[in-house]
Structures are given as structure tokens and as C-alpha cells.
Amino acid sequence: MNNKNKTLIMVVGILLIMIMGVSFAYFAVGVNISGNGSNTNLGTGNFPLVQYDAGDSKLLKDNLMPKDIITKNFKVIVTPTKDVKEVTYRIYIDIVDNTFVKCTDDNYDEVTNICEKNANELVYRLKDNNGNVIKEGDLTGSSGQIEVVRDTKTQEARTEYEYTIEIEFVDTNKDQNHNANKTFNGGIKVEFAEKAKTINDIIASLNTKTEQPDFSQIATTDEGVYKVSDGMYGGYSYYWRGAVTNNYVKFANKCWRIVRINGDGSMRLIYDGTTCHANGTNTTENLAVTNQAYNPSYDSSEYVGYTYTLGSQRTTSGTASNLKIQNETWYNNNLASYASKIAEGKYCNDRDVASGYSWSSQPSSDFYYVGYDRSGVNNESSISPTLSCPLGDVYTLQVGAITMDEVVMAGGKWGTANSSYYLYNGQNYWTMSPCRWYSSGYARVFFVYSNGSFNNNNVNNANLGMRPVINLSSDITLVGNGAINDPYEVI
């Protein structure tokens, strides 16, 4: 091998050899390379070999009927070397054509088409050689490459792994005319992959800080990740602050930013749009909806509630706010099929009243909620965000909104512009934190202002947007490093 070729191998780092026109595909992974530049030495026997045999690999059938199943048997063969015993590979379905769709409002008719809304009608199952299901998931409406499983094998000798992939048109026992005469066309493939990581792996890789920042100052640089007691979940939470660039996540074909890792190991994300945006970007794309009131009613203090009951200071049931309705509608339209990876998160709508005030439905004078004091509006030295919440104000939900406390932790401040930190998007959007009752007859809630500061606004103001917040389950696995061009991707 000449020096030019050796240099090329060093740059690429992976030698991929596809044998076209036969049933086996071969590729080398984990190549051991020593030296640098033209002096690179590629030792023989340093290529752990992965092979897969899926025949023609095709998964194809026209005019599928409910209960029809497409089946493909295949195997993956791992051959280690003396020096390299560990190999990670991923099995994926490469979809060429998939015409299956969900039953939605667009194709639903209560009289003639009683279908099951958002049902998983085309599903896959990956089984081992004993018939045990390793992984299953939904393919309805899916396109492109769908990763089925990513596995790391450590072996001392050549080992074969036998698999079966099944794709089934599920019989929902309801009208399925919206999927009549549909087609699925794809192939099963295997390739070298990055080793998956857990949320605990991410925590272990962070250079976390335990001494809390100066919250009287906005965070305009990358201040990193801080560890703090988590009053809602217990344990410790890890939150990102400032102009951080390592908190991007790709999930559900959308981009998100990590707000924090909760005390139970779940990961809290805020929506960033269908594509990832650099810090300082002015965009409406990461607003799920625009120009919406937090609540259309405003003339009782109860309307600061994410849910509310007139005559009651707090409730987690009762009437849903417009913010809650809009968030959950967006969730159902965009994330319902990914629910298995989304945890029921804890969200705080802290309606405790600040010291020196008492709660009333329609008092004739101002009163303030405790969040007003914590935000440091009157005294910068008193800025004290918290992850604790009164028990009666903790919501357990699939989707919610960011709190004022989380905005402060991220690097925002009352009345001080900040276009550098990761929550800035040049738009006004609601938090779910109550601020005050205004004596002229308005309930008010904190919001993030278009210049990156935060303030408070009447709940009936319809000129603000909404950014959904979700929590990924603690048992998910991810790849990537969190950068905008290599976000953590949920697999």
C-alpha cells in the first residue's frame, strides 16, 4: 500500500467495502491506526469484520391487507481480531416507498370512516433466533432510514447472530379505508455505527459545576453545566447555562435544546424547530404556535393557572388554560407516535403568594406570587431560582412549558436583554410561571421577551408564542455529541 493510500485511510478512519450484486456486504470497523501523515502504519489483522446476509434485502408488498405480515430472515456475523474485540453496528430499514398514513382529522369522518386516530397501523418487530422480540416500533407514515437497533458486541471468536424482521399491517378492528391498497417497499441493512450512550453517560462526560453562578448577571458566554438539588424529582439536576453549544438534540424529526437533566435521569428539552438554530438566531420556527393568549379570560387571579377552578388558589385539574390546550394539541399532532420515549414530566405552576400578601380572586390592590420575588425584580441580590414547587402546583404531563426559574438558570434576567444565550429566539413566548395580580383587573404571567430578557404580561395578550417542553425517558439511548452539526440523536 503506498503512502497516499495510507494517508487516505487515516483521514477516513473507516474502510468500507461493499460487494455489490451478491447477498453479503462486508465492511471493516474500528481500524487501528498508528503514526501520522505519510508514516501511517496499518497493521494486518486489525480489521474486525462485520458481515450481513439478508439475501436481496427487500421488504416489498403491494396492496397490503390488515393482518398481512412481511418477513425477512437475516444474520450478522462478527469476526474480531487479536487487537480489536468490540464492534458496534446498527440494523436499519431503508424505506424506498411507504404510502401508509395515520388516521387524522384530515381523513376522519365520524359517520363513514370510524377509524382509530393516530393508530400505529404499520409496525415492525425485530426478533432473535429464539423468536424473542428485541425491538418494535411504528412505520406508519415513516420515510428514509429507520434505525431498528444499535448493538455493541464484544467477542473473542467469529460469532453469528440470527434475526427476523417482521412488518405487519395491524388490524385495528375499525375502519381502515385510509390505508386501502397501500404499498411498503424497503430493504434491511446493516452498517458500522457509533456506540450508543445513555443519559448517565452524558452526565459522566460533563464538566459540571457545583458552585452556583451569579444570577444577577445575564449569561452571554458558554458557562457550561451546573449541578443543583432538584426539589421536584429528588436527587440532582444538571442545567445548561448561557451561550452553550453542546445541548442540541434531534428527536421526532425535530431539533430541541436541553434545558436540564432532571433528578430522575430524564432529559428536559425545549423545542428548537424542524432544524437546529445557532445561538442568537431570530426565528419563529421554534414556536409551536404564534399569537396566542395564555388564557382568554383575565379578570380573576385564578387565570394564571395552567389549569384553574374559580374560587380556588390552585388546582391541577379544572379548566385547562389556552397554553395547555395549544401545547397538547401540538403534541398530539407531532409527537404522539413517539410517546414511548417521552416521560411524564413534572412541571411547576407555582401559585404560592409572596411574603406580605394574601391570595384573593379579585382583590382591589396588587399582589405578587413568590416567583416575582425570586426573579429579583426589586432586588438583584434576591434572585434565587429554584427547582422546588408546591405540591398542589406540580403537573405530571407529557408536554408543558418552561418556567421563569429555568429561564434564570439558563442565563436570562428580568428587564435585561440577552441575545446570546440558548433560549433567545427574537420572539415573545410564554412561561408557565405566575407573576402577579394587577389591581386594574388583570392576571399576569412571566414571558420571555423578544430581546431575551423576561417580563410579565396580561394572560389575555394574544401576541405571544409557545415553545413546548418535553422530557425524554431516562432509559433512552443516543448518539452524537450535542453540537449543532452533530446533535444528540435519540435512537
Side-chain angles (χ1 to χ4, degrees):
M1 183 180 292
N2 61 39
N3 287 339
K4 180 179 179 181
N5 289 337
K6 293 176 183 176
T7 303
L8 179 61
I9 291 173
M10 184 198 71
V11 173
V12 175
I14 300 170
L15 179 62
L16 175 62
I17 309 172
M18 297 300 294
I19 309 300
M20 305 302 293
V22 297
S23 62
F24 276 89
Y26 302 86
F27 52 92
V29 298
V31 177
N32 287 342
I33 298 176
S34 61
N36 58 73
S38 61
N39 296 318
T40 298
N41 297 312
L42 184 61
T44 59
N46 284 336
F47 294 85
L49 186 65
V50 174
Q51 306 163 267
Y52 78 94
D53 180 9
D56 63 8
S57 85
K58 289 182 179 178
L59 296 161
L60 171 64
K61 192 165 184 180
D62 296 321
N63 302 324
L64 282 161
M65 298 292 291
K67 297 184 180 179
D68 280 355
I69 299 177
I70 310 169
T71 301
K72 170 69 65 177
N73 298 317
F74 65 101
K75 60 185 175 182
V76 178
I77 305 163
V78 175
T79 305
T81 70
K82 177 181 177 181
D83 299 320
V84 182
K85 309 297 183 185
E86 182 181 277
V87 169
T88 299
Y89 61 84
R90 72 181 188 121
I91 300 170
Y92 66 95
I93 300 170
D94 190 15
I95 299 175
V96 176
D97 183 31
N98 178 14
T99 57
F100 280 79
V101 295
K102 298 277 189 180
C103 171
T104 64
D105 288 335
D106 292 334
N107 55 31
Y108 178 83
D109 187 305
E110 291 185 353
V111 177
T112 63
N113 189 23
I114 310 300
C115 54
E116 184 177 345
K117 284 190 178 181
N118 295 310
N120 298 341
E121 297 187 47
L122 190 71
V123 301
Y124 70 81
R125 288 182 293 271
L126 181 70
K127 297 181 178 180
D128 62 19
N129 63 337
N130 294 316
N132 301 312
V133 176
I134 301 171
K135 184 73 177 295
E136 56 189 339
D138 181 35
L139 293 173
T140 319
S142 297
S143 60
Q145 293 185 0
I146 306 298
E147 183 167 302
V148 176
V149 73
R150 183 176 300 232
D151 206 353
T152 299
K153 304 293 189 185
T154 303
Q155 294 292 348
E156 294 292 330
R158 182 180 185 275
T159 306
E160 294 187 4
Y161 299 92
E162 296 180 357
Y163 298 97
T164 298
I165 189 79
E166 295 178 352
I167 297 178
E168 179 181 0
F169 183 3
V170 177
D171 187 350
T172 64
N173 293 314
K174 293 188 177 182
D175 192 308
Q176 293 179 268
N177 283 335
H178 54 284
N179 277 322
N181 301 318
K182 298 295 186 179
T183 297
F184 182 86
N185 180 3
I188 189 74
K189 295 187 178 180
V190 182
E191 69 180 17
F192 165 72
E194 175 187 353
K195 187 175 180 179
K197 62 193 75 174
T198 65
I199 292 178
N200 282 336
D201 291 333
I202 293 174
I203 292 173
S205 70
L206 299 172
N207 183 21
T208 56
K209 304 173 184 179
T210 55
E211 182 177 344
Q212 296 308 296
D214 181 0
F215 292 117
S216 69
Q217 303 296 317
I218 59 173
T220 60
T221 61
D222 182 349
E223 294 191 10
V225 180
Y226 291 81
K227 178 181 179 180
V228 65
S229 293
D230 192 331
M232 281 197 295
Y233 287 92
Y236 294 96
S237 184
Y238 302 83
Y239 66 88
W240 275 249
R241 178 172 171 83
V244 289
T245 58
N246 65 338
N247 67 337
Y248 290 92
V249 174
K250 185 74 177 295
F251 173 64
N253 299 313
K254 295 172 176 56
C255 196
W256 307 77
R257 304 296 291 267
I258 305 173
V259 176
R260 59 187 174 106
I261 296 174
N262 303 310
D264 67 344
S266 58
M267 179 182 282
R268 180 159 298 193
L269 310 178
I270 189 167
Y271 183 54
D272 195 41
T274 55
T275 58
C276 296
H277 297 92
N279 296 330
T281 302
N282 184 329
T283 179
T284 60
E285 195 196 10
N286 53 29
L287 298 179
V289 292
T290 58
N291 300 324
Q292 292 286 331
Y294 180 98
N295 250 330
S297 301
Y298 61 90
D299 55 356
S300 293
S301 64
E302 293 91 334
Y303 295 128
V304 301
Y306 201 59
T307 59
Y308 60 90
T309 298
L310 293 179
S312 176
Q313 180 178 350
R314 56 168 56 93
T315 179
T316 55
S317 56
T319 303
S321 65
N322 186 52
L323 178 62
K324 185 175 188 292
I325 292 170
Q326 295 294 332
N327 271 338
E328 292 179 353
T329 298
W330 185 87
Y331 175 93
N332 290 332
N333 289 337
N334 292 272
L335 299 181
S337 61
Y338 300 90
S340 63
K341 296 184 183 296
I342 301 173
E344 285 196 329
K346 295 181 178 181
Y347 298 91
C348 184
N349 184 215
D350 190 349
R351 285 166 282 193
D352 269 356
V353 175
S355 177
Y357 298 92
S358 59
W359 181 85
S360 179
S361 178
Q362 295 177 316
S364 58
S365 58
D366 290 5
F367 78 80
Y368 299 88
Y369 293 95
V370 289
Y372 187 87
D373 284 349
R374 290 200 303 271
S375 69
V377 177
N378 297 320
N379 182 359
E380 289 186 352
S381 64
S382 69
I383 300 177
S384 53
T386 181
L387 297 181
S388 296
C389 189
L391 184 61
D393 288 330
V394 177
Y395 291 79
T396 302
L397 303 166
Q398 295 292 103
V399 62
I402 200 165
T403 65
M404 175 276 297
D405 299 270
E406 290 169 331
V407 174
V408 174
M409 289 178 167
K413 184 182 175 184
W414 175 285
T416 302
N418 184 359
S419 61
S420 299
Y421 75 138
Y422 74 90
L423 288 180
Y424 170 84
N425 67 351
Q427 310 299 318
N428 302 318
Y429 58 94
W430 293 108
T431 77
M432 62 183 294
S433 297
C435 180
R436 63 186 292 192
W437 165 258
Y438 196 52
S439 58
S440 59
Y442 289 91
R444 291 194 164 194
V445 169
F446 287 103
F447 76 102
V448 178
Y449 193 49
S450 60
N451 66 3
S453 68
F454 66 91
N455 212 301
N456 72 116
N457 216 317
N458 299 335
V459 294
N460 66 323
N461 188 315
N463 296 318
L464 284 79
M466 302 178 186
R467 293 181 73 177
V469 171
I470 61 172
N471 296 271
L472 295 180
S473 299
S474 59
D475 60 355
I476 61 166
T477 54
L478 311 97
V479 294
N481 64 15
I484 190 170
N485 59 353
D486 187 22
Y488 294 121
E489 184 170 357
V490 181
I491 58 174

